[in-house]
Amino acid sequence: MHVLKQMIRQPTALFGLIVVTLVIALAIAAPWIAPFSPDEQMFDGLSLEGAPLPPGGPYLLGTDTLGRDLFSRLLFGARTSLIIGLVANGIAVAIGLFVGIVAGYLRGLPGNILMRFTDLMMAFPALLLAIVLAALLKPSLWIVAMVIALVNWVQVARIVYTETRGLVERDFIMAERSLGASHMRVLFMHILPHLMPTAIVWGTLGIATTVLLEATLSFLGVGVQPPQPSWGNIIFESQSYFQAAPWLVFIPGAIILLTALSFNLVGDALRDILDPTQRGRG
């Protein structure tokens, strides 16, 4: 409640929180509020010339190149993009926490090996690595989530490693060790609780990056495959109609931009609230 009250006092954070809540609510309620099936090709969904219909009439945001209702596809596409964003980013944060804590706590040879591997992964361009992995594996919802998680954990691991190295040198950790506490007790009772604010902040900020990466992969044709809608493949399917039916590109593009911006605003606010070193900074 304290965190929520602090966020409500910040206009930008409140705006981001409202948008994020609205997008999540619409995604959850998509089967009940979508006027049409996302895959249904309407008999009157195209003009006499076979072109998509503009926004208005029975189709709130118009139709796509196959005569399907764009509003319904965007609602169900939100489910796909958010599932990938939450699942992939959750896995990435979990991997980064594990690698960073183990490397920072053990140090020595095991820690060096883990961090050199992390540095090696950071050397690869994330988008290129994701495209290669997605091309090698058969693209699907869960494969795309796994691919994104495998390229997004390195930043979390590096931050957690640095914080863990500082924590293990603190007096209360050394006192706990001198009293005979086991490694598991030190890790789970003392180090991990201090890292949770970092994990929460990076988890929130990472959702925006994950949503954008999923949209990029789907736009390039190696993400979620049609007919399952996602915001990225909606743009991919409509790119040839950019001039004739610009709403097919601009509307999902604006939604992606607004969602990513909102998650970043929420993440920035959480960083200011939960991280003591950031409090009071303008």
Side-chain angles (χ1 to χ4, degrees):
M1 292 302 298
H2 169 73
V3 172
L4 183 60
K5 290 179 180 179
Q6 291 291 326
M7 293 186 66
I8 292 176
R9 294 173 184 172
Q10 303 179 34
T12 56
L14 179 60
F15 170 79
L17 189 61
I18 292 174
V19 172
V20 167
T21 304
L22 180 62
V23 170
I24 293 175
L26 290 174
I28 294 173
W32 296 279
I33 64 177
F36 305 98
S37 169
D39 301 327
E40 183 180 357
Q41 299 181 24
M42 303 301 170
F43 178 77
D44 59 345
L46 297 173
S47 67
L48 295 177
E49 295 79 16
L53 297 179
Y59 308 111
L60 182 63
L61 299 179
T63 60
D64 68 0
T65 57
L66 297 178
R68 297 171 296 190
D69 180 53
L70 180 60
F71 179 64
S72 300
R73 289 186 62 77
L74 288 173
L75 287 176
F76 281 87
R79 293 166 69 94
T80 301
S81 297
L82 289 179
I83 287 173
I84 290 180
L86 294 172
V87 172
N89 199 56
I91 296 173
V93 170
I95 295 174
L97 272 174
F98 175 78
V99 173
I101 290 175
V102 172
Y105 186 77
L106 295 181
R107 293 180 290 183
L109 182 61
N112 286 332
I113 292 175
L114 286 174
M115 294 316 298
R116 297 298 76 76
F117 176 70
T118 302
D119 293 339
L120 179 64
M121 293 294 294
M122 291 184 71
F124 287 98
L127 179 58
L128 180 60
L129 182 59
I131 291 174
V132 171
L133 290 174
L136 292 175
L137 303 171
K138 184 179 180 181
S140 68
L141 176 66
W142 303 111
I143 292 296
V144 171
M146 184 194 71
V147 167
I148 294 176
L150 290 178
V151 301
N152 273 358
W153 62 270
V154 290
Q155 294 86 357
V156 180
R158 173 57 68 180
I159 295 296
V160 171
Y161 170 76
T162 302
E163 291 197 12
T164 304
R165 285 291 302 268
L167 284 170
V168 296
E169 301 294 339
R170 299 281 294 273
D171 291 341
F172 70 94
I173 297 293
M174 299 180 69
E176 189 75 11
R177 281 179 172 178
S178 66
L179 293 174
S182 65
H183 295 302
M184 298 301 291
R185 176 179 174 81
V186 172
L187 286 173
F188 284 98
M189 298 296 295
H190 299 284
I191 292 181
L192 187 59
H194 282 80
L195 298 174
M196 289 312 297
T198 300
I200 293 172
V201 170
W202 274 91
T204 308
L205 290 171
I207 292 176
T209 303
T210 304
V211 170
L212 290 173
L213 185 54
E214 180 278 325
T216 303
L217 292 175
S218 296
F219 175 76
L220 295 174
V222 292
V224 178
Q225 298 299 296
Q228 183 173 10
S230 77
W231 291 338
N233 67 25
I234 289 174
I235 298 176
F236 172 72
E237 294 172 347
S238 309
Q239 58 182 324
S240 59
Y241 282 77
F242 176 73
Q243 292 183 329
W247 62 89
L248 295 178
V249 176
F250 284 129
I251 293 177
I255 291 174
I256 293 171
L257 177 63
L258 182 62
T259 303
L261 174 63
S262 300
F263 274 111
N264 275 331
L265 292 176
V266 172
D268 285 339
L270 286 175
R271 180 186 59 190
D272 294 339
I273 295 169
L274 297 177
D275 186 356
T277 63
Q278 296 290 333
R279 293 175 186 166
R281 296 186 180 184

